[in-house]
Amino acid sequence: MYDYMKALHKVLPGAELHKKPRRNWNRLTEKSRRVRPADQEILLQLADLENELREETSLTSFIAVFSLGMGIAGEMERYCFEDEEEKRVIERAKAEHPRQGQYAIQRKGLPPVAFS
């Protein structure tokens, strides 16, 4: 499984995208070791704050898109294959026997549906 994942990682286009940020990360890590401890603390606090803001923004965006999707889904009409098939059968029966009176179609476990 590990070999498969490594081969897949090499093939995916995203694998190349991470090389530049990794190089920058390594370069900045080396530079940060030369910074005074007090300044390192400030930099770490800034990085933590940035991560917190990204998390908040991501969560807010997810909630907004999810709410939008639920609203769209709520406006859509429910589709049921069985109901659609039942409508087709009724229309076919009406077309085949237009002069007949009342027809009743028995559905599984439900009372008959009458139409004229």
Side-chain angles (χ1 to χ4, degrees):
M1 182 67 162
Y2 179 73
D3 294 334
Y4 172 75
M5 293 304 289
K6 277 183 76 174
L8 186 61
H9 183 70
K10 286 180 183 177
V11 173
L12 291 176
E16 295 297 321
L17 297 175
H18 297 294
K19 286 185 179 181
K20 185 177 179 183
R22 283 183 204 269
R23 282 196 306 267
N24 288 340
W25 175 262
N26 292 336
R27 183 177 52 82
L28 290 173
T29 303
E30 283 299 318
K31 282 186 176 182
S32 71
R33 289 187 181 137
R34 291 182 244 144
V35 176
R36 295 181 321 192
D39 293 337
Q40 280 184 349
E41 183 65 30
I42 292 171
L43 289 173
L44 289 173
Q45 288 175 356
L46 284 171
D48 288 344
L49 181 59
E50 181 184 10
N51 286 337
E52 187 177 329
L53 289 171
R54 284 180 196 258
E55 285 178 17
E56 251 182 65
T57 304
S58 296
L59 182 60
T60 303
S61 296
F62 172 77
I63 290 170
V65 170
F66 184 79
S67 298
L68 176 64
M70 289 301 291
I72 291 171
E75 289 179 7
M76 293 177 68
E77 185 178 322
R78 178 183 69 87
Y79 177 78
C80 179
F81 177 77
E82 292 171 350
D83 292 345
E84 191 68 31
E85 189 63 26
E86 183 178 323
K87 287 178 189 174
R88 286 188 198 132
V89 169
I90 290 172
E91 291 300 318
R92 195 175 329 136
K94 284 182 180 179
E96 289 175 3
H97 308 286
R99 295 189 182 163
Q100 299 284 333
Q102 292 273 337
Y103 291 98
I105 297 177
Q106 182 69 37
R107 296 178 293 174
K108 291 181 183 176
L110 298 172
V113 175
F115 65 90
S116 53

